[in-house]
Amino acid sequence: MTAADVSLLSSTAMNAHLLLLVLSAGVISVSTPVSALQIPSLLQVQVQAKGNESVVCEFKEHDLRVELGLLQNLTLHIEGTIEENVTLIFSTDASSADILEGFPNITLVSDEMINQTLLTVKPIAVGKTVLITKAIPPNMTDVSKAFVRLVVPHSNILDYVSDTVGWIYFMAWSVSFYPQTFSNWRRKSVIGLHFDFLSLNTIGFLVYSIFNICLFGISYIEAEYFKRHPFGVNPVQLNDVIFSVHAFIACCIQVFQCFIYDRGDQQISNTAKSIFSTIGLVTIVMVILGAASVIAWLDFLYYLSYVKLFITLIKYIPQAYYNYRRKSTSGWSIGNIFLDITGGALSIVQMIIISYNYNDWGSIFGDPTKFGLGLFSVIFDVFFMVQHYILYRGNTGYQHVCESPTPSHVSPLTESAASSVDYGSTGSVY
């Protein structure tokens, strides 16, 4: 499984749910969500009044990590004056209301200047929650930025372990493209690498790259995301952009190898061509709708996430069947599988570590599809290893014989269309 197939889920909307499903089947969590947070001991807040509200309340920092059993001071900055009293009510998400001790209400007295108020955060359980502020009456006070995402871990050590695991599988997935590329170059042949698998992988990483680049680098789309999810965080980070672009380039290099090296009679199947045609037509329609402002560009990115999810679910099938039909894994790099299963297994391990450390088991078992995507790819990797080392061990298929243009084969094939599928293969390499 690749990094595009395993990193965030939101339960606030179906679109966001599937977007983050792909990213968690897709975003590389090289660090835990809280490890990158900058958490000062006291959050100083500076705000500017805006809109028609006469008072603005805001937490400048919106992410806070609090250790269980320790108190944390949190400063709410207040600017402006009001004509009548306003009550500020602090609450947390209903599903995680037992993580923090409750906060008393605060009353802002009319015509009285108050620059800031101090809140004491007291965690009483491990988990994640969002502290939000409501104002009564609401029409005089802007509290849109008066929220904080809080996390309370079991252990700081587990954060470091999770970070280490994340970087290991990030590297495993990043280099997993190289063994196949090197094998193709050494053999001067791409026979054994199914073109459907390669084309699906290439299209998958193309749409994943577009998704990451747009959501990370285009401020308009990012603003649209935060408009829909005001308490959320951008699910795409720089490492996600780098990985997806790198993976797409690596796939393109393999595609180029298909044009310059021996490929026998291999070609993309009609089924794959139909899938790509359908994806292309729907994409064109979505782009036209986006350009005409019928749909938001963020919805177009959600569509790309669905395409990536679909490709993730089917991309291994052609290669597995191809190996079965040839009764050989010749030309299909086992090195790629070793790195892929390493990344997939460690990604699942990291999910378990994070879920335990933040008591967030719902992110795994509450959404079996998310966990299942990672497990699905690992199972396919195991199947490829069984094919390589048990079922077809020693079956090298057709050997390239320089003295004769006619290839000889080790084991018979039932498909006449596969008469030269192994021509140029040198057996199981890398």
Side-chain angles (χ1 to χ4, degrees):
M1 180 174 188
T2 64
D5 309 317
V6 193
S7 226
L8 292 171
L9 281 173
S10 170
S11 59
T12 56
M14 185 61 181
N15 279 342
H17 178 87
L18 287 177
L19 153 72
L20 298 178
L21 166 63
V22 172
L23 294 181
S24 38
V27 171
I28 315 165
S29 300
V30 296
S31 60
T32 59
V34 297
S35 61
L37 302 182
Q38 298 178 354
I39 306 170
S41 58
L42 183 65
L43 298 182
Q44 298 295 334
V45 183
Q46 299 175 350
V47 299
Q48 298 293 330
K50 61 181 180 179
N52 297 324
E53 295 88 350
S54 57
V55 175
V56 178
C57 301
E58 182 178 0
F59 294 115
K60 183 178 181 181
E61 300 290 342
H62 297 299
D63 295 286
L64 182 63
R65 186 175 184 277
V66 188
E67 294 185 29
L68 186 63
L70 298 180
L71 301 181
Q72 178 74 59
N73 290 327
L74 186 64
T75 299
L76 177 68
H77 190 88
I78 304 170
E79 183 174 301
T81 58
I82 54 176
E83 298 179 357
E84 62 180 271
N85 294 354
V86 172
T87 300
L88 300 180
I89 301 174
F90 303 95
S91 61
T92 56
D93 178 47
S95 62
S96 55
D98 58 344
I99 293 176
L100 301 178
E101 193 175 80
F103 299 92
N105 298 340
I106 295 176
T107 299
L108 306 180
V109 181
S110 61
D111 299 324
E112 182 176 312
M113 289 295 298
I114 302 176
N115 294 324
Q116 64 182 29
T117 185
L118 188 67
L119 302 180
T120 300
V121 178
K122 183 179 180 180
I124 56 178
V126 171
K128 301 178 182 180
T129 191
V130 179
L131 174 66
I132 60 176
T133 307
K134 297 181 180 179
I136 301 177
N139 60 326
M140 293 183 295
T141 309
D142 179 7
V143 293
S144 60
K145 297 298 181 64
F147 70 92
V148 179
R149 295 177 291 261
L150 297 112
V151 293
V152 184
H154 272 292
S155 167
N156 293 333
I157 296 177
L158 288 179
D159 276 345
Y160 298 126
V161 173
S162 176
D163 291 349
T164 302
V165 170
W167 280 109
I168 292 174
Y169 80 68
F170 171 81
M171 294 303 299
W173 272 330
S174 295
V175 301
S176 66
F177 302 93
Y178 301 153
Q180 185 67 56
T181 303
F182 177 75
S183 175
N184 296 341
W185 171 80
R186 193 182 78 85
R187 297 163 52 240
K188 299 299 185 289
S189 170
V190 294
I191 297 174
L193 172 63
H194 199 284
F195 285 7
D196 283 7
F197 170 79
L198 178 57
S199 56
L200 285 167
N201 229 16
T202 304
I203 297 299
F205 282 115
L206 172 61
V207 298
Y208 185 49
S209 297
I210 295 173
F211 175 92
N212 285 336
I213 291 172
C214 291
L215 192 53
F216 179 80
I218 301 179
S219 57
Y220 168 78
I221 296 179
E222 185 180 31
E224 178 65 23
Y225 177 82
F226 285 122
K227 182 179 179 181
R228 299 189 188 186
H229 313 288
F231 303 140
V233 295
N234 191 331
V236 177
Q237 301 302 316
L238 180 60
N239 59 289
D240 302 311
V241 176
I242 293 174
F243 174 84
S244 58
V245 173
H246 166 266
F248 174 66
I249 293 174
C251 289
C252 288
I253 292 174
Q254 293 181 5
V255 171
F256 177 71
Q257 289 179 321
C258 293
F259 286 97
I260 64 175
Y261 293 150
D262 182 15
R263 58 178 178 175
D265 59 3
Q266 293 183 125
Q267 59 182 348
I268 298 176
S269 70
N270 291 331
T271 300
K273 291 177 181 178
S274 299
I275 292 173
F276 298 145
S277 298
T278 302
I279 292 174
L281 289 174
V282 176
T283 300
I284 292 174
V285 172
M286 296 291 287
V287 169
I288 294 174
L289 293 177
S293 300
V294 176
I295 64 171
W297 286 113
L298 182 60
D299 293 318
F300 171 70
L301 295 186
Y302 288 147
Y303 157 74
L304 295 182
S305 74
Y306 307 152
V307 172
K308 176 57 186 166
L309 175 61
F310 172 70
I311 289 176
T312 297
L313 292 174
I314 68 171
K315 69 177 184 178
Y316 295 103
I317 298 175
Q319 185 66 53
Y321 178 71
Y322 186 45
N323 294 344
Y324 161 75
R325 191 185 70 174
R326 299 186 308 145
K327 300 299 186 290
S328 171
T329 57
S330 169
W332 170 239
S333 174
I334 195 63
N336 168 55
I337 298 305
F338 274 120
L339 291 168
D340 200 38
I341 196 172
T342 297
L346 290 180
S347 70
I348 293 175
V349 169
Q350 189 192 51
M351 290 170 61
I352 294 174
I353 292 174
I354 294 175
S355 296
Y356 168 76
N357 204 26
Y358 298 100
N359 198 26
D360 188 24
W361 296 105
S363 63
I364 296 181
F365 302 112
D367 182 7
T369 306
K370 173 184 175 182
F371 185 76
L373 279 172
L375 188 60
F376 174 81
S377 294
V378 170
I379 290 174
F380 255 105
D381 287 334
V382 172
F383 179 72
F384 284 131
M385 295 175 72
V386 170
Q387 284 185 322
H388 183 81
Y389 289 109
I390 300 176
L391 298 179
Y392 313 133
R393 183 176 183 177
N395 292 2
T396 56
Y398 286 81
Q399 300 292 328
H400 184 78
V401 182
C402 296
E403 294 80 2
S404 171
T406 303
S408 61
H409 58 85
V410 174
S411 56
L413 299 177
T414 58
E415 299 274 356
S416 60
S419 59
S420 64
V421 290
D422 273 334
Y423 189 75
S425 295
T426 58
S428 174
V429 293
Y430 301 95

